[in-house]
Amino acid sequence: MSGTTDVQRPAEPDWAAITTEELIAYREAENRFRASAAARAVTGEPDPGAEIRWQEVVLPGRVLPVRVYRPAGQGGEDAGRAGLPLVLHVHGGGFVGTAAQSDWINSHLAARLPAVVVSVEHRLVDPVTPLPAAADDGWDVLRHVLEHAARWGVDPERAAVFGESCGGLIVALAALRARASGLRLRAQVLVNPAVEVTGTMLDSPSMTRYAHTPTLSRPHLELFRRLAVPQGTDARALSPLYADDLGGLAPALVVVPTDDPLADHGRRYAERLRDAGTPVRLTEHQGAGHAFLSMPGVVPQAQAARAEIDDFLGASLAVRPPGRPTG
């Protein structure tokens, strides 16, 4: 992470007219800002009780960076004696974003649960790597860490997934794949999640009401969908909202900021999970906008959301299997 304080945030581009070259340049500049000391006033200071470092995960055909958060004093990789719970995290942004933007929430979870939090620096969505690549990265890192649990110092029987925005979509897909493969997750946390990328993705009252917010806009989402689902891709297969069966999944906490174009995505997904018999708790944060959990320095509602995520994961990842959440 950059230690400088003079990194400037780039101007927001014209999402409707942006070229691939402009997208890459904007992404690089924006991610430098998000990973800089200058951004801490917005993204929050890490918990001093956690150690943070970058590592690499070697997967078939690629090597992915991951940002790893551990309780201070627990040691690094190969500290397998601890057997801490695992929280697999995926940041938001879709075609932009970095795990470092989530240092505040992830370091807090690592220190306070305690747990090992592994945040995936997945391939960002663009014309070369559409959404299936990012979804595979989230799932493959989860499997890799659990298959090498002792080396990572985690208890494979106590794993949860946690994602924000597009990251919420990626971990919701991972939860579905976990059920299909017989991998038992203790919990899934979905914060302002995007849970569909079909042609009706933008057809909701919340999208109409909050189409042009400071942190997310309709043109931004239109570009995301074009990049995520290239022609010929089955959009429903990438949309957890339209999964044939949502029963038997890990208990879910769905966190919805009310002033968010995607607020109805979270509400509808929570309803579908509940109807399918999957335990789910839906919480709404009045007046908060999209990506609020990554902006604790300017959005006070982030503190309450952090507390409820902490409580939910703490109960879910307890040594004894938790009871079924209500809600």
Side-chain angles (χ1 to χ4, degrees), residues 132-305:
D136 286 347
D137 288 348
W139 170 240
D140 289 347
V141 171
L142 175 64
R143 288 195 305 168
H144 174 90
V145 174
L146 292 178
E147 287 170 2
H148 301 88
R151 182 155 61 89
W152 284 83
V154 301
D155 179 353
E157 299 300 318
R158 293 189 291 157
V161 292
F162 164 31
E164 306 167 58
S165 191
C166 177
L169 170 60
I170 292 169
V171 302
L173 290 169
L176 286 162
R177 292 167 89 163
R179 182 193 60 187
S181 70
L183 189 161
R184 181 179 177 270
L185 296 175
R186 288 283 189 94
Q188 54 180 317
V189 177
L190 311 176
V191 180
N192 43 256
V195 288
E196 74 151 313
V197 289
T198 72
T200 62
M201 176 184 183
L202 308 182
D203 299 342
S204 70
S206 65
M207 176 58 64
T208 300
R209 184 171 183 181
Y210 301 107
H212 298 284
T213 70
T215 50
L216 187 66
S217 67
R218 185 183 182 98
H220 187 140
L221 287 167
E222 288 171 343
L223 173 62
F224 168 71
R225 187 178 179 280
R226 288 198 304 273
L227 296 172
V229 190
Q231 190 171 9
T233 302
D234 181 2
R236 290 180 69 90
L238 296 169
S239 301
L241 184 65
Y242 295 119
D244 291 336
D245 179 13
L246 291 175
L249 296 174
L253 172 65
V254 181
V255 180
V256 172
T258 59
D259 296 6
D260 179 2
L262 293 178
D264 288 332
H265 276 228
R267 293 171 181 134
R268 291 173 63 197
Y269 197 57
E271 182 179 5
R272 278 221 60 206
L273 289 169
R274 185 176 292 113
D275 289 346
T278 291
V280 60
R281 181 184 305 163
L282 172 66
T283 65
E284 301 201 16
H285 292 266
Q286 296 297 320
H290 191 79
F292 78 117
L293 192 64
S294 297
M295 300 187 294
V298 293
V299 182
Q301 294 93 328
Q303 295 284 352

Side-chain angles (χ1 to χ4, degrees), residues 18-42:
I18 194 170
T19 66
T20 299
E21 292 75 17
E22 290 169 340
L23 174 64
I24 300 304
Y26 169 77
R27 167 194 291 171
E28 291 176 351
E30 174 67 12
N31 282 354
R32 280 196 300 273
F33 173 78
R34 296 188 188 193
S36 71
R40 292 297 196 199
V42 174

Side-chain angles (χ1 to χ4, degrees), residues 55-90:
Q55 295 179 206
E56 290 185 339
V57 174
V58 179
L59 298 170
R62 65 204 190 279
V63 178
L64 288 181
V66 295
R67 196 155 172 84
V68 183
Y69 309 78
R70 297 179 183 274
Q74 289 290 331
E77 193 172 359
D78 295 320
R81 295 173 297 279
L84 292 172
L86 168 69
V87 178
L88 189 286
H89 173 266
V90 185

